[in-house]
Amino acid sequence: MAITRDEVLHVARLARLELTDDEVERFTGQLSAILEAVAKVSELDLSDVEPTAHPLDLVNVWAEDEPRPSIPVEDALANAPDREAGFFKAPPA
Amino acid sequence: MNWEPVIGLEIHIHLKTRTKMFCRCEVAYSEPENTRTCPVCLAHPGSLPVPNAKAVEWTIKLGLALGCRIAERAVFHRKNYFYPDNPKGYQISQYDEPLCVDGRLVVPGPDGEPEVGIVRAHLEEDAAKNVHTGSAQGRIAGASATLVDFNRAGTPLVEIVTRPDLRSADDARRFLQLLRQTVVELGISDAEMEKGSLRFDVNVSIRPQGSDELRTRTELKNLNSFAFAAKAIQREVERQTGIYEAGGEVEQETLHFEPGTESAPPLRSKEEAQDYRYFPEPDLVPLQPPAELVERVRAELPELPGARILRLAADLDPDTATDLVTSGRDALFERVPGDRRAVANVLMNQFAAAGVDAAAVDPEELGKLIEARSRIPRERLIEALAASGTPGFSADDYLGDGLMADTSELEPIVDRILEANSGQVEAYRGGKEGLLGFFVGQVMRETRGKADPKVVNELLREKLSA
Amino acid sequence: MIDTLRLTAEEAMGLIERGEASAAELHAAYLDAIRDRDGELHAYLRTVDEADGGGVPIAFKDVISSRGVETTAGSKVLQGYVPVFDSTVAARCREAGLPLIGKTNMDEFAMGSSTENSAYGPTRNPWDPERVPGGSSGGSAAAVAAGLAPWALGTDTGGSVKQPASLCGIVGLRPTYGTVSRYGIVAFASSLDQVGPMTKTVRDNALLYRIIAGRDPCDTTTVELPQPVELPEREDLKGIRVGVPKELNEAEGIEPGVKEAADRTIELCRELGAEVGETTLPRSVEYGLACYYLVAPAEASSNLSRYDGVRYGLRVEGESGVRSMYERTRDAGFGDEPKRRIMLGAYALSAGYYDAYYGQAQKVRTVIAQEHAAAFRSFDVLVSPTSPTVAFRLGEKAENPLAMYLSDVLTIPSNMAGLPGLSIPCGLSEDLPVGFQLIGPQFSENTLFHVGHALERAIGFDVVPGRLQ
């Protein structure tokens, strides 16, 4: 197996996905097959090759420190699943 | 066995740019919640970061002030983790290609001038503010929630990491003071712990004196003042010493301090090593600071506090030199003529207590005053210092021989004061005896501190009880 | 009565200019056509009743934010999410006066090649409703092909504009990376995503590209076009050097009917005056898929972390504590394909694996870019079929992720290098459209439009599906 059940549980945890047992089983098989296929990249000896940082050779793109209007608080909260006054509300951290 | 502490610091400084690091929302200080936000700092789907040019420039400025090499090429990385104050689920930070590396800060102290290595200084964005609350509206007691305010999310932060070169709690405190002073004088941050614009964590371990091993360290987090940090570090050093001397092993732990719980032992936790899955930020292109920019910033650096302390320490002890610089009185010190130690002493003590603006003082006159200070009464010196910031101040007015004790000279002055303050006279006679001090002060002011307080007191009592 | 089946955007523009139809009338005609035909096809997720603008109406893939219009990215995790801001491409279309017809269906978070991964049900191919329209921009492709929109915007990461264009018999451009803003586009893979026009003709495509392209200060990965977009006029290919990379044209899995149609089109290039020669991309095709399926999921795993139920979208309460809410929300909100890719991506980035997986894949990318650059020293455009197959049946590959991934084997390599690609319909195989892919160097869209237009004229492909005529 290119990836074990435990490793699947680990990455699911890292990604905050609560998988059912059925999902874990199914995904372990599928991810294994995919990983085996993508591991193909390691066939190449690329020790002298630079990784591609960006498709274009751009550097130093930034903006002046000039303010632009923020959005109204009602817009900020417009899609909030839960709120309290002007705050976003979430279960305790 | 002699043990030596091995202390390193990780400091976060909030840059006081007008706008956030990756969007142009105005940085908020105390605005109503979620009124300084936009799709970018709220991490709405499809939003993209745009770096703040000033923040980059100021990070370079700080790096140069700390003797760092400015990277030819620097890259932003994503640091991935989940938390309600982290809206993208990743923080844009820097990883193995930071903007500034390999610096040093010389921190003068009683044991010489230890050089503290700066491993790196990099640029990143701050998280939002979580408010953990009990539930409102009379719901079940014990229920709670996290309320999140994104005003702070995206504020530019510089993270500075030192080498573990600090060898005592006091060293650490001095380092922090000097760093803070430097940052404030560069004009890039207010660096105030109470406002949250300076935060730091400390790594502490110990080792046998003379060895160069690095043993297990503990991390102290959320310390809220330099003084408290020094105490906490000292306690931790002692704790670790006790463990090793009893033949035990120090465990890797994080100690969480809470504001207001200085006397309580900290909460200990073993933080799981987090896998942040750093990778270069694909939404941002690399930084290649142009040489002209770096050189211009370097040329514009003022004489930094560290250098000034070193200069002053040629004539003074390091603590006094440091105090003068960190209190902002060193510029005045350099202009006031006279014995260095005497001038420093007065500036840091009586002058400081007088609360006078150093910039308003005529240094020559102050120098005269200080030189003569042992020849005049204490109250007169205090009077004089208090007046030293007023335009036209002349030391001579307060010098000269003896006290004015002649009642014939003092009586008219006392009468004048009483006449001019009939309201207070009535109040005094009505029972407010504390007002005597007020009248004494008025006379002293009239006579520029030269009146003999005993005589003044007697005269006043006589006239007031009449 | 406006015949939306056949109407091109350029023709619609003419109608408006000559006062023969108003934008509102056109808009209404498309809504009528949608009522008529979209029940079967399900190209649209929602329509917009009011025609806001005086120009040619347009459809957007539901990954493109339009202020005030629900945008789901084909996922339950964004059900009900209404953006409070316009994407830059939406703003540019709005400035050009193009009224929005509606938001089209897509594979969830643009992950897929058939639109079967939509959380809202699949879209059907107008040429054969038992077959997929391709993906992930299947809704936009089907809408244009079925006359439910004169033109549309899709997005392309691994081929998600080119491949559905191919399967639906229309024209699709994947622009040079960095020429169209991603601001407001729900992100899948940041270093690969590009918005692309999907149209009935190559000229329409150039017209739409001209409206949306150009540097955006809100997206620091964009650049100005070095030259203005030209509307193609020439119908010959004299002076054009056409390269035929053998690895792209002989890849495993290319159906005979597809190969035949592509080969005929290559011959047509010669007839139109092009110099045609064979070339090679030694490792780009062999390693392209593996490279893509490391880079894209890695970036996606991070881009999708913001869907946590705190500020917008779906929230499913957990037992106690925010972590449980995250886990339940994300498990309920994401379909299988996003989950697979998130986990794959997290794995490829995780401590100990980064160098071998993500790090190595970014190096393979450099190799792919170098191989294409080498080929472009001798050729102006490289050609191949767009998709190895014609439209396959619904359900045929849905259970087999790897089989589905192979649909992109021909579109992926040039994407990894940030290069533009235009797909034009070049014929039929088994009565289903075959797409022909034109790949150019960076910023060569004008060349692609020229070649595409000349071929389009010569081929005379009828973009209206037989069964709808």
Side-chain angles (χ1 to χ4, degrees):
Chain A
M1 273 291 184
I3 189 172
T4 66
R5 192 171 186 280
D6 275 347
E7 285 174 318
V8 169
L9 286 171
H10 176 66
V11 289
R13 232 190 336 265
L14 279 180
R16 297 296 186 268
L17 292 168
E18 186 184 83
L19 301 178
T20 63
D21 284 332
D22 169 64
E23 279 177 313
V24 175
E25 180 143 350
R26 196 153 39 89
F27 287 142
T28 303
Q30 290 171 341
L31 288 174
S32 249
I34 297 169
L35 265 171
E36 257 171 61
V38 299
K40 195 171 168 57
V41 294
S42 56
E43 285 172 14
L44 296 172
D45 176 6
L46 301 177
S47 38
D48 288 333
V49 178
E50 282 302 303
T52 294
H54 277 276
L56 296 168
D57 272 320
L58 292 172
V59 294
N60 294 346
V61 184
W62 48 49
E64 294 308 309
D65 187 27
E66 290 298 326
R68 307 200 65 205
S70 292
I71 63 177
V73 63
E74 282 316 307
D75 275 4
L77 289 161
N79 289 284
D82 197 6
R83 60 185 283 185
E84 193 167 292
F87 289 96
F88 290 88
K89 189 168 175 183
Chain B
M1 166 85 89
N2 279 332
W3 299 91
E4 73 174 1
V6 177
I7 300 162
L9 296 168
E10 196 180 290
I11 304 111
H12 283 89
I13 289 178
H14 162 155
L15 293 180
K16 61 176 189 186
T17 51
R18 290 183 68 194
T19 67
K20 295 186 178 185
M21 185 61 221
F22 294 113
C23 67
R24 303 289 83 76
C25 286
E26 272 187 271
V27 172
Y29 290 101
S30 49
E31 301 295 328
E33 53 278 4
N34 291 308
T35 55
R36 288 286 182 275
T37 67
C38 74
V40 177
C41 51
L42 287 171
H44 281 178
S47 58
L48 294 173
V50 180
N52 182 326
K54 184 116 272 172
V56 175
E57 180 176 324
W58 283 2
T59 304
I60 292 172
K61 192 170 180 180
L62 178 56
L64 291 171
L66 295 178
C68 294
R69 178 171 58 79
I70 305 303
E72 264 169 38
R73 191 184 124 105
V75 163
F76 288 105
H77 272 72
R78 291 190 186 180
K79 179 179 183 181
N80 294 282
Y81 66 95
F82 285 86
Y83 206 61
D85 65 4
N86 188 19
K88 293 188 289 295
Y90 56 88
Q91 177 199 30
I92 301 179
S93 176
Q94 298 196 288
Y95 180 54
D96 58 0
E97 292 184 80
L99 205 37
C100 316
V101 291
D102 284 346
R104 67 209 50 74
L105 190 63
V106 172
V107 186
D111 305 319
E113 287 137 20
E115 187 178 281
V116 179
I118 306 289
V119 176
R120 54 188 280 152
H122 76 243
L123 189 47
E124 59 184 28
E125 54 175 347
D126 206 354
K129 225 181 270 186
N130 277 351
V131 179
H132 303 281
T133 69
S135 92
Q137 285 120 37
R139 278 206 248 144
I140 316 163
S144 57
T146 303
L147 300 181
V148 196
D149 172 14
F150 290 91
N151 283 354
R152 192 182 74 181
T155 304
L157 281 183
V158 178
E159 178 179 313
I160 301 162
V161 180
T162 77
R163 290 196 197 289
D165 290 343
L166 296 158
R167 293 283 164 266
S168 71
D170 258 359
D171 274 359
R173 185 180 46 78
R174 265 189 291 271
F175 175 91
L176 285 166
Q177 273 167 344
L178 184 57
L179 177 66
R180 179 180 183 274
Q181 179 79 11
T182 304
V183 159
V184 169
E185 286 190 16
L186 288 175
I188 63 177
S189 172
D190 293 329
E192 287 183 55
M193 295 211 66
E194 311 76 53
K195 296 228 177 87
S197 48
L198 184 150
R199 319 199 279 263
F200 64 94
D201 299 327
V202 190
N203 290 315
V204 181
S205 67
I206 64 174
R207 67 186 176 198
Q209 193 116 48
S211 89
D212 60 5
E213 57 178 297
L214 285 173
R215 296 190 173 200
T216 307
R217 61 186 197 206
T218 59
E219 197 182 354
L220 313 186
K221 287 178 101 84
N222 206 28
L223 298 155
N224 70 348
S225 79
F226 299 165
F228 178 52
K231 278 203 212 103
I233 293 169
Q234 187 54 32
R235 256 187 255 134
E236 179 59 15
V237 166
E238 285 161 10
R239 185 188 77 93
Q240 291 191 12
T241 307
I243 291 176
Y244 285 123
E245 299 208 318
E249 280 304 316
V250 166
E251 282 177 19
Q252 179 161 68
E253 279 178 311
T254 303
L255 279 57
H256 302 271
F257 292 84
E258 283 304 312
T261 61
E262 285 73 19
S263 53
L267 207 63
R268 287 170 185 281
S269 77
K270 267 203 204 3
E271 278 181 2
E272 252 177 60
Q274 281 251 46
D275 184 357
Y276 292 115
R277 285 155 281 134
Y278 285 100
F279 69 102
E281 171 58 83
D283 289 329
L284 293 174
V285 300
L287 301 174
Q288 285 182 0
E292 315 84 64
L293 170 67
V294 175
E295 290 325 306
R296 173 177 59 76
V297 173
R298 196 198 299 275
E300 287 171 358
L301 287 177
E303 188 191 18
L304 295 167
R308 300 204 305 278
I309 292 172
L310 283 175
R311 208 153 45 69
L312 297 186
D315 299 319
L316 302 168
D317 68 278
D319 275 335
T320 306
T322 303
D323 288 343
L324 274 172
V325 172
T326 55
S327 66
R329 290 185 206 110
D330 62 305
L332 178 58
F333 169 79
E334 299 213 76
R335 290 157 52 225
V336 172
D339 175 68
R340 295 296 80 203
R341 273 181 221 273
V343 173
N345 190 12
V346 173
L347 281 180
M348 290 313 301
N349 293 295
Q350 299 96 319
F351 179 82
V356 170
D357 175 14
V361 171
D362 179 333
E364 289 292 328
E365 294 301 315
L366 184 59
K368 260 194 241 171
L369 187 63
I370 291 173
E371 197 275 327
R373 73 194 184 289
S374 56
R375 298 194 296 275
I376 59 176
R378 202 184 122 260
E379 292 86 357
R380 199 192 302 174
L381 177 64
I382 291 169
E383 222 22 78
L385 285 171
S388 64
T390 52
F393 169 80
S394 169
D396 284 336
D397 288 346
Y398 296 81
L399 303 177
D401 303 314
L403 286 172
M404 205 186 206
D406 191 338
T407 37
S408 62
E409 272 189 77
L410 287 173
E411 207 172 330
I413 297 174
V414 170
D415 287 337
R416 235 190 349 262
I417 298 292
L418 292 179
E419 218 180 286
N421 294 285
S422 50
Q424 278 87 333
V425 170
E426 240 184 83
Y428 179 88
R429 286 182 179 149
K432 286 205 158 61
E433 309 212 329
L435 282 171
L436 183 67
F438 166 74
F439 297 121
V440 172
Q442 292 293 303
V443 175
M444 296 305 280
R445 239 201 16 208
E446 265 301 305
T447 63
R448 312 222 188 189
K450 289 192 185 159
D452 183 336
K454 255 188 20 208
V455 176
V456 170
N457 252 280
E458 269 171 38
L459 271 173
L460 279 169
R461 273 187 217 276
E462 222 183 274
K463 291 180 182 281
L464 285 166
S465 54
Chain C
M1 247 326 274
I2 301 169
D3 173 17
T4 65
L5 257 182
R6 205 161 273 294
L7 194 67
T8 69
E10 205 172 355
E11 285 165 357
M13 245 176 245
L15 289 178
I16 294 173
E17 269 161 38
R18 293 188 302 272
E20 288 169 33
S22 70
E25 280 164 356
L26 279 166
H27 191 262
Y30 283 102
L31 290 182
D32 280 338
I34 290 165
R35 260 187 290 276
D36 259 351
R37 292 197 284 283
D38 203 36
E40 174 192 54
L41 298 176
H42 193 229
Y44 280 89
L45 291 175
R46 72 200 65 83
T47 53
V48 172
D49 291 333
E50 289 293 305
D52 183 16
V56 178
I58 187 168
F60 288 165
K61 180 178 183 182
D62 205 23
V63 77
I64 296 172
S65 301
S66 284
R67 177 196 218 102
V69 182
E70 186 182 352
T71 298
T72 67
S75 179
K76 280 286 191 291
V77 94
L78 280 178
Q79 185 164 40
Y81 166 69
V82 178
V84 297
F85 70 107
D86 265 338
S87 58
T88 297
V89 299
R92 289 182 181 182
C93 288
R94 190 195 292 278
E95 270 153 44
L98 311 187
L100 183 62
I101 301 170
K103 309 302 287 300
T104 59
N105 199 12
M106 54 181 285
D107 283 298
E108 186 176 2
F109 284 105
M111 299 175 178
S113 311
S114 66
T115 309
E116 291 172 289
N117 289 336
S118 170
Y120 299 99
T123 294
R124 291 164 184 279
N125 192 317
W127 289 79
D128 178 348
E130 298 309 307
R131 293 176 184 263
V132 303
S136 58
S137 310
S140 282
V144 172
L148 303 179
W151 52 8
L153 290 180
T155 61
D156 189 295
T157 306
S160 292
V161 159
K162 295 182 288 187
Q163 185 255 21
S166 168
L167 267 51
C168 288
I170 62 164
V171 179
L173 172 73
R174 179 219 161 65
T176 303
Y177 182 88
T179 59
V180 183
S181 172
R182 290 179 298 114
Y183 183 73
I185 308 305
V186 181
F188 161 21
S190 314
S191 71
L192 293 162
D193 292 345
Q194 275 294 276
V195 176
M198 304 182 77
T199 58
K200 283 187 153 67
T201 68
V202 176
R203 278 179 63 92
D204 278 358
N205 209 285
L207 279 166
L208 187 48
Y209 181 60
R210 182 192 273 171
I211 290 171
I212 61 175
R215 185 170 180 269
D216 178 15
C218 292
D219 177 350
T220 66
T221 62
T222 58
V223 289
E224 268 321 331
L225 301 187
Q227 290 132 17
V229 177
E230 284 162 16
L231 286 190
E233 298 280 358
R234 278 178 63 188
E235 297 184 10
D236 69 276
L237 294 180
K238 283 200 278 284
I240 300 287
R241 301 165 301 165
V242 173
V244 184
K246 80 169 164 313
E247 297 81 2
L248 277 179
N249 286 276
E250 289 163 23
E252 206 183 298
I254 298 182
E255 288 172 348
V258 167
K259 178 134 184 37
E260 232 183 271
D263 286 345
R264 264 200 321 269
T265 313
I266 293 171
E267 191 47 45
L268 183 57
C269 290
R270 275 197 191 90
E271 286 167 27
L272 291 173
E275 245 179 75
V276 179
E278 216 190 52
T279 182
T280 174
L281 298 167
R283 289 164 295 182
S284 302
V285 180
E286 188 181 351
Y287 294 93
L289 263 181
C291 176
Y292 174 80
Y293 279 102
L294 280 169
V295 173
E299 295 179 4
S301 72
S302 181
N303 284 329
L304 268 59
S305 293
R306 64 191 62 197
Y307 305 106
D308 60 8
V310 175
R311 289 146 291 116
Y312 45 75
L314 182 71
R315 177 189 292 195
V316 176
E317 296 296 341
E319 271 161 16
S320 68
V322 74
R323 180 159 172 165
S324 164
M325 184 275 278
Y326 286 162
E327 290 170 347
R328 299 239 174 126
T329 297
R330 291 163 66 77
D331 189 58
F334 291 133
D336 279 359
E337 190 60 39
K339 281 183 187 151
R340 273 191 289 267
R341 297 201 194 191
I342 287 170
M343 288 192 284
L344 183 57
Y347 189 81
L349 292 173
S350 62
Y353 292 115
Y354 179 99
D355 288 335
Y357 287 119
Y358 185 77
Q360 182 77 346
Q362 288 288 53
K363 292 184 174 194
V364 173
R365 226 173 148 167
T366 305
V367 170
I368 294 174
Q370 287 166 349
E371 288 187 351
H372 281 75
F376 283 122
R377 282 200 274 278
S378 319
F379 296 100
D380 303 308
V381 67
L382 305 177
V383 298
S384 76
T386 305
S387 161
T389 68
V390 292
F392 44 91
R393 291 187 180 287
L394 283 153
E396 187 178 310
K397 304 190 199 225
E399 299 309 310
N400 187 344
L402 276 174
M404 188 67 85
Y405 295 169
L406 283 166
S407 314
D408 296 329
V409 67
L410 306 177
T411 51
I412 273 174
S414 55
N415 284 19
M416 300 314 292
L419 302 176
L422 184 69
S423 179
I424 60 163
C426 68
L428 294 172
S429 165
E430 300 165 57
D431 295 325
L432 295 164
V434 177
F436 191 67
Q437 178 174 231
L438 308 169
I439 300 164
Q442 285 176 337
F443 310 115
S444 65
E445 280 80 354
N446 284 339
T447 304
L448 298 181
F449 290 140
H450 164 202
V451 176
H453 175 74
L455 286 171
E456 177 186 86
R457 282 299 199 214
I459 296 168
F461 182 88
D462 187 353
V463 298
V464 179
R467 55 182 286 278
L468 294 180
Q469 295 184 30

